[in-house]
Amino acid sequence: MLSIGSLAKRTGVKVPTIRYYEQMGLLKAAERSEGNQRRYERSDLERLAFIRHARDLGLDIPAIRELIRLSEHSQQPCADADRIAAEHLAAVREKIARLRKLEQELDRIVSHCDGGHSIEECYVIRALSDHGLCEGEH
Amino acid sequence: MLSIGSLAKRTGVKVPTIRYYEQMGLLKAAERSEGNQRRYERSDLERLAFIRHARDLGLDIPAIRELIRLSEHSQQPCADADRIAAEHLAAVREKIARLRKLEQELDRIVSHCDGGHSIEECYVIRALSDHGLCEGEH
DNA sequence: ATAATTCCTACAGTCACTAGAGCTTCAAGA
DNA sequence: TCTTGAAGCTCTAGTGACTGTAGGAATTAT
């Protein structure tokens, strides 16, 4: 049986975050010691590792909740789990695409300006003031 | 003189967002009509366009506040404005790099699984349960 | 004149935590 | 056994950049 602190150390998830996951229904309410402190077992450690891994991949809490639900029905088809992951992948790709446009635009603005002149002539400021100086839309 | 609604329409910034920018000190407190409604002039429209453009490029509010401050000292050198933009560009690039790693990992997980089998065998679920199945670190 | 629209302030909610206050329990050394 | 310090508990508020709502006042259109 692990205390919340040891569970935190072993998984790299901070103590308040573990309590938060319990509150959000990702971890089932832990058993308690006589003095009302949480006590965890191996299965909790595995589930927390699952959650952390999913969060590291950027999945949000409702998605993780759903994945946990699915993982408990081992005989069901896995199409739903697939769909969640695929949708998230698509969202990540969209974010990348948007950021790449930003990167281009910022790069263009920054490299027009070498910091050696006055604000009045500064391309950074001028580009922000005047959308017409932009190349793409954003 | 524009009402807050017309200013919103012309700039594409929502009415509550305009009030929020005023609260955050990006827009100076607007003049008021007899009945206490905000009235804007051309210069406010330009500043709001500046703010919106900067937000579209992903700059946060403190950065925008600083840029506005700088833009009001037209004789100062523009090194600070440059630095803000360059730092932001670097942050954007970092975000892209992180997302690309995620994309790779998610792609690998998703393409291992065609949705045609049971949860028990599902690569999505298994990959989340077992970090050992990952290629890179994240 | 009246009805429809827009405006006002102030406050709650979003997401995934994080930090703090004020108190209790636990583990280890003397 | 006692003490002390670390770790635990609950509850609340704060983060960033808005968005939404409630309840009421002002403005605009018919």
Side-chain angles (χ1 to χ4, degrees), chain A residues 68-118:
Chain A
I68 288 172
R69 204 182 60 74
L70 292 171
S71 75
E72 282 165 348
H73 299 270
S74 63
Q75 296 313 310
Q76 299 272 316
C78 77
D80 282 353
D82 252 38
R83 188 182 38 73
I84 290 171
E87 278 175 10
H88 181 56
L89 175 55
V92 167
R93 288 191 165 139
E94 232 175 87
K95 246 185 221 165
I96 291 173
R98 244 180 308 125
L99 283 173
R100 269 218 271 261
K101 270 191 198 161
L102 284 193
E103 185 201 3
Q104 262 188 19
E105 201 59 42
L106 280 165
D107 186 34
R108 211 179 51 78
I109 290 171
V110 167
S111 61
H112 259 71
C113 197
D114 58 4
H117 30 253
S118 70

Coordinates of all heavy atoms in Angstrom, one line a residue, chain A residues 68-118:
Chain A
I68 N -10.6 5.1 -20.5 CA -10.6 4.2 -19.3 C -11.8 3.4 -19.3 O -11.8 2.2 -19.1 CB -10.5 5.1 -18.0 CG1 -9.1 5.7 -17.9 CG2 -10.8 4.2 -16.8 CD1 -9.0 6.6 -16.7
R69 N -13.0 4.0 -19.6 CA -14.2 3.3 -19.6 C -14.1 2.1 -20.7 O -14.4 1.0 -20.4 CB -15.3 4.2 -20.0 CG -16.7 3.8 -19.6 CD -17.8 4.7 -20.1 NE -17.8 4.9 -21.6 CZ -18.3 4.0 -22.4 NH1 -18.8 2.8 -21.9 NH2 -18.3 4.2 -23.7
L70 N -13.6 2.5 -21.8 CA -13.4 1.5 -22.9 C -12.5 0.4 -22.5 O -12.7 -0.8 -22.7 CB -12.9 2.1 -24.2 CG -13.9 3.1 -24.9 CD1 -13.1 3.9 -26.0 CD2 -15.1 2.4 -25.4
S71 N -11.4 0.7 -21.8 CA -10.4 -0.3 -21.5 C -10.9 -1.3 -20.5 O -10.3 -2.3 -20.3 CB -9.1 0.4 -20.9 OG -9.4 0.8 -19.6
E72 N -12.0 -1.0 -19.9 CA -12.6 -1.9 -18.9 C -13.5 -2.9 -19.5 O -14.0 -3.8 -18.9 CB -13.3 -1.1 -17.8 CG -12.3 -0.5 -16.8 CD -13.0 0.5 -15.9 OE1 -14.1 1.0 -16.2 OE2 -12.3 0.9 -14.9
H73 N -13.8 -2.7 -20.8 CA -14.7 -3.7 -21.5 C -13.8 -4.4 -22.5 O -13.9 -4.1 -23.7 CB -15.8 -3.0 -22.2 CG -16.7 -2.3 -21.2 ND1 -17.8 -2.9 -20.6 CD2 -16.7 -1.1 -20.7 CE1 -18.4 -2.1 -19.8 NE2 -17.7 -0.9 -19.8
S74 N -13.0 -5.4 -22.1 CA -12.0 -5.9 -22.9 C -12.5 -6.7 -24.1 O -11.7 -7.0 -25.0 CB -11.0 -6.8 -22.1 OG -11.8 -7.9 -21.5
Q75 N -13.7 -7.0 -24.1 CA -14.2 -7.8 -25.3 C -14.9 -7.0 -26.3 O -15.2 -7.5 -27.4 CB -15.2 -8.9 -24.8 CG -14.6 -10.0 -23.9 CD -13.2 -10.5 -24.4 OE1 -13.2 -10.9 -25.6 NE2 -12.2 -10.4 -23.6
Q76 N -15.1 -5.7 -26.0 CA -15.7 -4.8 -27.0 C -14.8 -4.5 -28.1 O -13.5 -4.6 -27.9 CB -16.2 -3.5 -26.4 CG -17.2 -3.7 -25.3 CD -18.6 -3.7 -25.8 OE1 -18.9 -2.8 -26.6 NE2 -19.4 -4.6 -25.3
P77 N -15.3 -4.2 -29.3 CA -14.4 -3.8 -30.4 C -13.7 -2.5 -30.0 O -14.2 -1.7 -29.3 CB -15.3 -3.6 -31.6 CG -16.6 -3.4 -31.0 CD -16.7 -4.2 -29.8
C78 N -12.5 -2.2 -30.6 CA -11.8 -1.0 -30.2 C -11.9 0.2 -31.1 O -11.1 1.1 -31.1 CB -10.3 -1.4 -30.0 SG -9.4 -1.5 -31.6
A79 N -13.0 0.2 -31.9 CA -13.2 1.2 -32.9 C -13.3 2.6 -32.2 O -12.7 3.6 -32.7 CB -14.4 1.0 -33.7
D80 N -13.9 2.6 -31.0 CA -14.1 3.9 -30.4 C -12.8 4.5 -29.9 O -12.5 5.7 -30.0 CB -15.0 3.8 -29.2 CG -16.5 3.7 -29.6 OD1 -16.7 4.0 -30.8 OD2 -17.4 3.4 -28.8
A81 N -11.9 3.6 -29.3 CA -10.6 4.0 -28.8 C -9.8 4.5 -30.0 O -9.1 5.6 -29.9 CB -9.9 2.8 -28.2
D82 N -9.9 3.8 -31.1 CA -9.2 4.3 -32.3 C -9.7 5.6 -32.8 O -8.9 6.5 -33.1 CB -9.6 3.3 -33.4 CG -8.5 2.5 -33.8 OD1 -7.7 2.1 -32.9 OD2 -8.3 2.2 -35.0
R83 N -11.0 5.9 -32.7 CA -11.5 7.1 -33.2 C -11.0 8.3 -32.3 O -10.6 9.3 -32.8 CB -13.1 7.1 -33.1 CG -13.7 8.3 -33.8 CD -15.3 8.1 -33.6 NE -15.7 7.6 -32.4 CZ -15.6 8.2 -31.2 NH1 -15.2 9.4 -31.1 NH2 -16.1 7.6 -30.1
I84 N -11.0 8.0 -31.0 CA -10.5 9.1 -30.1 C -9.1 9.5 -30.4 O -8.7 10.6 -30.5 CB -10.6 8.6 -28.6 CG1 -12.1 8.6 -28.2 CG2 -9.9 9.5 -27.7 CD1 -12.3 7.9 -26.9
A85 N -8.2 8.4 -30.6 CA -6.8 8.7 -30.9 C -6.7 9.4 -32.2 O -5.9 10.4 -32.4 CB -6.0 7.4 -30.8
A86 N -7.4 8.9 -33.2 CA -7.3 9.5 -34.5 C -7.8 11.0 -34.6 O -7.2 11.8 -35.2 CB -8.1 8.7 -35.5
E87 N -8.9 11.2 -33.8 CA -9.4 12.6 -33.8 C -8.4 13.5 -33.1 O -8.2 14.7 -33.5 CB -10.7 12.7 -33.0 CG -11.9 12.3 -33.9 CD -13.2 12.2 -33.1 OE1 -13.2 12.6 -31.9 OE2 -14.2 11.7 -33.6
H88 N -7.7 13.0 -32.1 CA -6.7 13.8 -31.4 C -5.5 14.1 -32.3 O -5.0 15.2 -32.4 CB -6.3 13.1 -30.1 CG -5.3 13.9 -29.4 ND1 -5.5 15.2 -29.0 CD2 -4.0 13.6 -29.0 CE1 -4.4 15.7 -28.4 NE2 -3.5 14.7 -28.3
L89 N -5.2 13.0 -33.1 CA -4.1 13.2 -34.0 C -4.4 14.3 -35.0 O -3.6 15.2 -35.3 CB -3.8 11.9 -34.7 CG -2.7 11.9 -35.9 CD1 -1.4 12.5 -35.4 CD2 -2.5 10.5 -36.5
A90 N -5.6 14.3 -35.5 CA -6.0 15.3 -36.5 C -6.0 16.7 -35.8 O -5.5 17.7 -36.5 CB -7.5 15.0 -37.0
A91 N -6.4 16.8 -34.6 CA -6.3 18.1 -33.9 C -4.9 18.6 -33.7 O -4.6 19.8 -33.9 CB -7.0 18.0 -32.5
V92 N -4.0 17.7 -33.4 CA -2.6 18.0 -33.3 C -2.1 18.5 -34.6 O -1.4 19.5 -34.7 CB -1.8 16.8 -32.8 CG1 -0.3 17.1 -33.0 CG2 -2.1 16.5 -31.4
R93 N -2.4 17.9 -35.7 CA -1.9 18.3 -37.0 C -2.4 19.7 -37.4 O -1.7 20.5 -38.0 CB -2.4 17.3 -38.1 CG -1.6 16.0 -37.9 CD -1.8 15.0 -39.1 NE -0.7 14.0 -39.1 CZ -0.9 12.7 -39.3 NH1 -2.1 12.3 -39.6 NH2 0.1 11.9 -39.2
E94 N -3.7 19.9 -37.0 CA -4.2 21.2 -37.3 C -3.5 22.3 -36.5 O -3.2 23.4 -37.1 CB -5.7 21.3 -36.9 CG -6.6 21.8 -38.0 CD -8.1 21.6 -37.5 OE1 -8.5 22.6 -36.9 OE2 -8.7 20.6 -37.8
K95 N -3.2 22.0 -35.3 CA -2.5 23.0 -34.4 C -1.1 23.2 -35.1 O -0.6 24.4 -35.1 CB -2.3 22.4 -33.0 CG -3.0 23.2 -32.0 CD -2.7 22.7 -30.6 CE -3.9 22.6 -29.7 NZ -3.7 21.8 -28.5
I96 N -0.5 22.2 -35.5 CA 0.9 22.4 -36.1 C 0.8 23.3 -37.4 O 1.6 24.2 -37.5 CB 1.5 21.0 -36.5 CG1 1.8 20.2 -35.2 CG2 2.7 21.2 -37.4 CD1 2.3 18.8 -35.5
A97 N -0.2 23.0 -38.2 CA -0.4 23.8 -39.4 C -0.6 25.3 -39.0 O 0.0 26.2 -39.7 CB -1.6 23.3 -40.2
R98 N -1.4 25.5 -38.0 CA -1.7 26.9 -37.7 C -0.4 27.6 -37.1 O 0.0 28.7 -37.5 CB -2.8 27.0 -36.6 CG -4.0 27.8 -37.2 CD -5.1 27.9 -36.1 NE -5.4 26.5 -35.6 CZ -5.5 26.2 -34.3 NH1 -5.1 27.1 -33.4 NH2 -5.8 25.0 -33.9
L99 N 0.3 26.8 -36.3 CA 1.6 27.4 -35.8 C 2.6 27.6 -36.8 O 3.4 28.6 -36.8 CB 2.1 26.5 -34.7 CG 1.4 26.5 -33.3 CD1 1.9 25.5 -32.4 CD2 1.6 27.9 -32.7
R100 N 2.6 26.8 -37.8 CA 3.6 27.0 -38.9 C 3.3 28.3 -39.7 O 4.3 29.0 -40.1 CB 3.6 25.8 -39.9 CG 4.6 24.7 -39.4 CD 5.3 24.1 -40.6 NE 4.5 23.0 -41.1 CZ 4.8 21.7 -40.7 NH1 5.8 21.5 -40.0 NH2 4.1 20.7 -41.2
K101 N 2.0 28.6 -39.9 CA 1.7 29.9 -40.5 C 2.2 31.0 -39.7 O 2.8 32.0 -40.2 CB 0.2 29.9 -40.7 CG -0.2 29.4 -42.1 CD -1.7 29.7 -42.3 CE -2.3 28.8 -43.4 NZ -3.7 28.8 -43.4
L102 N 1.9 30.9 -38.4 CA 2.4 31.9 -37.4 C 3.9 32.1 -37.5 O 4.4 33.2 -37.6 CB 2.1 31.6 -36.0 CG 0.6 31.8 -35.6 CD1 0.6 31.7 -34.1 CD2 0.1 33.1 -36.0
E103 N 4.6 31.0 -37.5 CA 6.0 31.0 -37.6 C 6.5 31.7 -38.8 O 7.4 32.6 -38.7 CB 6.5 29.5 -37.6 CG 8.0 29.4 -37.5 CD 8.6 28.1 -38.0 OE1 7.8 27.3 -38.5 OE2 9.8 27.9 -37.9
Q104 N 6.0 31.4 -39.9 CA 6.3 32.1 -41.2 C 6.2 33.6 -41.1 O 7.1 34.3 -41.4 CB 5.4 31.6 -42.3 CG 6.0 30.5 -43.2 CD 5.1 30.3 -44.4 OE1 4.3 31.1 -44.7 NE2 5.3 29.1 -45.0
E105 N 5.0 34.0 -40.6 CA 4.7 35.4 -40.5 C 5.6 36.1 -39.6 O 6.2 37.1 -39.9 CB 3.3 35.6 -40.1 CG 2.7 36.9 -40.5 CD 2.7 37.2 -42.0 OE1 2.4 36.3 -42.8 OE2 3.1 38.3 -42.4
L106 N 5.8 35.5 -38.4 CA 6.7 36.1 -37.4 C 8.1 36.2 -37.9 O 8.8 37.1 -37.7 CB 6.7 35.3 -36.1 CG 5.5 35.5 -35.2 CD1 5.3 34.5 -34.1 CD2 5.6 36.9 -34.5
D107 N 8.5 35.1 -38.6 CA 9.9 35.1 -39.1 C 10.1 36.2 -40.1 O 11.1 36.9 -40.0 CB 10.1 33.7 -39.7 CG 11.6 33.5 -40.1 OD1 12.5 34.1 -39.4 OD2 11.9 32.9 -41.2
R108 N 9.1 36.3 -40.9 CA 9.2 37.4 -41.9 C 9.3 38.8 -41.3 O 10.1 39.6 -41.6 CB 8.0 37.3 -42.8 CG 8.2 37.8 -44.3 CD 6.9 37.6 -45.1 NE 5.9 38.3 -44.4 CZ 5.6 39.6 -44.4 NH1 6.5 40.4 -45.1 NH2 4.6 40.1 -43.7
I109 N 8.5 39.0 -40.3 CA 8.5 40.3 -39.6 C 9.8 40.5 -38.8 O 10.4 41.6 -39.0 CB 7.3 40.3 -38.5 CG1 6.0 40.4 -39.3 CG2 7.5 41.5 -37.6 CD1 4.7 40.3 -38.4
V110 N 10.2 39.5 -38.1 CA 11.4 39.6 -37.3 C 12.7 39.9 -38.2 O 13.5 40.7 -37.9 CB 11.7 38.4 -36.4 CG1 13.1 38.4 -35.8 CG2 10.6 38.4 -35.3
S111 N 12.7 39.1 -39.3 CA 14.0 39.2 -40.1 C 14.0 40.5 -40.9 O 15.0 40.9 -41.5 CB 14.1 38.0 -40.9 OG 13.0 37.9 -41.8
H112 N 12.9 41.2 -41.0 CA 12.9 42.5 -41.6 C 13.5 43.6 -40.8 O 13.7 44.7 -41.2 CB 11.4 43.0 -41.9 CG 11.0 42.7 -43.4 ND1 10.8 41.5 -43.9 CD2 10.8 43.6 -44.4 CE1 10.5 41.6 -45.1 NE2 10.5 42.9 -45.5
C113 N 13.7 43.3 -39.5 CA 14.0 44.3 -38.5 C 15.3 43.8 -37.8 O 15.3 42.8 -37.2 CB 12.9 44.4 -37.6 SG 12.9 46.0 -36.6
D114 N 16.3 44.7 -37.8 CA 17.5 44.2 -37.1 C 17.7 45.0 -35.8 O 18.8 44.9 -35.2 CB 18.7 44.4 -38.0 CG 18.9 45.9 -38.5 OD1 18.1 46.7 -38.0 OD2 19.8 46.1 -39.3
G115 N 16.7 45.7 -35.3 CA 16.8 46.3 -34.0 C 17.7 47.6 -34.0 O 17.8 48.2 -33.0
G116 N 18.2 48.0 -35.2 CA 19.1 49.1 -35.2 C 18.5 50.4 -35.5 O 19.2 51.4 -35.7
H117 N 17.1 50.5 -35.6 CA 16.6 51.9 -35.8 C 15.5 52.2 -34.8 O 15.3 51.6 -33.8 CB 16.0 51.9 -37.3 CG 15.5 50.6 -37.7 ND1 16.2 49.8 -38.6 CD2 14.4 49.9 -37.3 CE1 15.5 48.7 -38.8 NE2 14.4 48.7 -38.0
S118 N 14.8 53.3 -35.1 CA 13.8 53.8 -34.1 C 12.5 53.1 -34.3 O 12.2 52.5 -35.3 CB 13.6 55.3 -34.4 OG 12.9 55.5 -35.6

